[in-house]
Amino acid sequence: MLNESTQPKVAIITPTKNRLALLCEAMESVHRQSFDDWEHIIVDDGSDDGTAEEVAKRTAVDPRIQFLRRNEGKGGANVCRNLGVARSRAE
């Protein structure tokens, strides 16, 4: 596992809104990969289904997971992806 100051090779950016079950599947899939030089940036577009709480549990255990919440301006998956790209430290 990488430490927080290491630049990861790959960024996985997942936009989400009220899809907690699917998000959990996606996070588990990323975590199971044999390649571990990654960061997973989850960008929430205003979920009210427990997404923030679930991701907080996982970020406490794995610093490669980051959580962003989009709070203002135009929303949507593409906006969330762009926010994730801007936050990424990956090559």
Side-chain angles (χ1 to χ4, degrees):
M1 190 177 313
L2 300 177
N3 96 33
E4 292 182 45
S5 64
T6 304
Q7 182 178 8
K9 294 256 185 222
V10 174
I12 300 100
I13 300 167
T14 305
T16 191
K17 183 173 182 179
N18 291 329
R19 298 284 190 259
L20 182 56
L22 292 174
L23 178 61
C24 287
E25 285 181 35
M27 289 187 290
E28 290 162 13
S29 175
V30 169
H31 194 73
R32 284 191 307 264
Q33 300 304 306
S34 60
F35 182 80
D36 67 355
D37 194 1
W38 52 262
E39 65 180 348
H40 191 180
I41 303 171
I42 297 152
V43 186
D44 183 36
D45 200 17
S47 296
D48 58 8
D49 63 351
T51 292
E53 295 80 9
E54 179 62 32
V55 176
K57 289 181 207 173
R58 293 174 189 242
T59 59
V61 176
D62 191 339
R64 298 175 296 178
I65 302 170
Q66 298 180 54
F67 181 69
L68 285 117
R69 182 174 287 209
R70 191 203 59 73
N71 290 323
E72 53 190 47
K74 186 177 178 180
N78 290 335
V79 171
C80 290
R81 282 186 199 96
N82 289 338
L83 290 170
V85 168
R87 177 75 170 267
S88 174
R89 297 174 295 122
E91 294 177 13

